[in-house]
Amino acid sequence: MNASGILRRSLFIDSSNIEEIKKWNATGVIDGVTSNQLLMLNDGVKPKSFRRVVAAICEEMKDKPVSVELTDSTIAPEDMIAEAKRFANIAENIVVKVPLIPETTKSLYVINELSKIDISVNVTTIMTFEQMILAALSARNNKKTSFLSLFWGRSIEDSANYRSRFDFMAKYPRVGLESEINSKPQAITSATASFIQEGGYDNLKIIVGSIRTASMVGQAFAAGAHICTTTPEILTSMLYSKRSIETIKQFDEAWKEMQKS
C-alpha cells in the first residue's frame, strides 16, 4: 500500500457500492475506501458475495487503502486475528478495521498482534480523546500506515447523551466527568494530531468519519484530520453552493447573449 505521497490530507469514500466507488475514483478525489457491516447490509452485500465484493473494490482502488471491518466483536481474540489474516490475503491494499471494544483489552491485544505481522489496521468506533490515545499507542509500532477513526457525529451524541448523564457516570465513575477536549470533536482531533506528531508516530493517520453534513468535512480538516471518510451523498453535497449555481447560470446566460450579437 503506497501512502508516501498521499494521506496527508485525503478524502475516503464510505461505501461498498462498487459503481459509486468507480464513479468517485474516476474523479481523482478519493484516496481510499472504508466500509463496515451496516454499510454492506444497506448496499445489499451478502455473506456469500462478501469476498468477491471486497476483492473488486481492492482491484478498483489499486494500491490505495481499502478498510474492511472484522465481522464479530464478541469472538475470541485468536479468532479475530485469524479473520484479519483471511482479509489481508484478499489483496495487498486491505486495511483491517478493529473496533475499540470497551470493558476489555481484547481489541488492543488484537491490534498489537496484527502490527507485529505487518497487517495495516484501522482502529474504529472511537468517540473520545482517551480512546484515541489507547488506539495510537496500540498501533504505533505497525510498520504499515495505520489509522485511528474518530466518529465525529457520534462523538457529539456521545458527549450529549452519555458522558454527561449521571446514570452512565454512576456505572462508570472512573471515566470522569465531561472534559473540554471531549466536548467537541474538533478538540479531540486537534489534540490527537498533536499527540501523534509529538510522539513521532509517523505511521498513524487520523480518519474522521460519522460525517453528517458537508460542513463537518471542512471542520474536520480545519481541526487537523488527515482524512475524512464520508458517503457518496455527502461527497456530492460538498459540490453545492447556492451562490455557485446562480453565478454559473449568469455566465451561461451571458454566453448565450453573446452568441446573438
Side-chain angles (χ1 to χ4, degrees):
M1 180 174 59
N2 178 16
S4 59
I6 60 172
L7 308 183
R8 294 187 181 93
R9 288 292 187 273
S10 293
L11 282 170
F12 286 4
I13 189 169
D14 202 20
S15 177
S16 60
N17 184 317
I18 187 63
E19 296 307 318
E20 284 286 355
I21 292 168
K22 285 181 177 180
K23 181 178 78 173
W24 280 100
N25 198 32
T27 68
V29 165
I30 61 171
D31 289 327
V33 176
T34 57
S35 67
N36 58 48
Q37 299 93 315
L38 183 58
L39 277 173
M40 288 187 167
L41 177 66
N42 292 336
D43 286 337
V45 178
K46 305 295 184 183
K48 63 181 180 181
S49 62
F50 174 87
R51 188 180 181 91
R52 174 177 55 79
V53 170
V54 171
I57 294 171
C58 289
E59 183 177 2
E60 169 63 25
M61 298 307 296
K62 307 302 182 188
D63 61 348
K64 295 178 180 178
V66 175
S67 287
V68 182
E69 188 150 356
L70 296 176
T71 58
D72 188 348
S73 66
T74 67
I75 61 178
E78 293 73 21
D79 294 328
M80 296 176 79
I81 292 168
E83 183 177 54
K85 290 178 179 178
R86 291 195 296 272
F87 287 175
N89 284 333
I90 295 174
E92 288 290 325
N93 54 335
I94 284 283
V95 177
V96 176
K97 292 179 77 173
V98 183
L100 194 67
I101 306 168
E103 299 185 294
T104 173
T105 59
K106 177 167 64 174
S107 54
L108 299 177
Y109 171 78
V110 170
I111 294 160
N112 189 44
E113 289 300 305
L114 295 181
S115 296
K116 290 177 182 177
I117 55 177
D118 300 333
I119 292 180
S120 178
V121 297
N122 178 351
V123 192
T124 186
T125 66
I126 299 177
M127 313 290 168
T128 72
F129 179 48
E130 293 77 22
Q131 289 178 318
M132 292 290 269
I133 291 171
L134 289 175
L137 294 176
S138 67
R140 60 182 162 168
N141 294 319
N142 199 315
K143 293 179 181 178
K144 290 191 174 181
T145 301
S146 292
F147 307 89
L148 316 175
S149 285
L150 175 66
F151 280 32
W152 186 283
R154 289 182 187 242
S155 72
I156 296 173
E157 296 161 4
D158 178 70
S159 176
N161 299 326
Y162 296 97
R163 288 176 64 89
S164 59
R165 278 174 44 176
F166 288 107
D167 57 343
F168 179 81
M169 296 311 302
K171 187 175 181 181
Y172 303 101
R174 293 298 184 182
V175 170
L177 296 174
E178 185 61 83
S179 67
E180 184 178 350
I181 288 177
N182 287 322
S183 65
K184 293 183 178 180
Q186 293 95 325
I188 300 172
T189 303
S190 179
T192 304
S194 294
F195 186 84
I196 289 173
Q197 183 177 9
E198 292 170 12
Y201 307 138
D202 297 332
N203 64 313
L204 299 180
K205 303 295 180 181
I206 301 169
I207 296 180
V208 168
S210 186
I211 296 293
R212 309 290 200 243
T213 64
S215 62
M216 284 186 180
V217 176
Q219 290 174 333
F221 280 126
H226 300 115
I227 301 153
C228 274
T229 186
T230 190
T231 62
E233 291 78 12
I234 298 297
L235 285 172
T236 300
S237 71
M238 290 173 67
L239 288 163
Y240 279 81
S241 162
K242 186 175 186 296
R243 193 59 175 150
S244 293
I245 294 169
E246 292 171 348
T247 302
I248 291 169
K249 183 178 179 182
Q250 284 180 323
F251 291 169
D252 288 346
E253 289 175 350
W255 177 250
K256 291 176 183 177
E257 286 298 316
M258 289 172 61
Q259 300 291 72
K260 297 177 183 178
S261 58

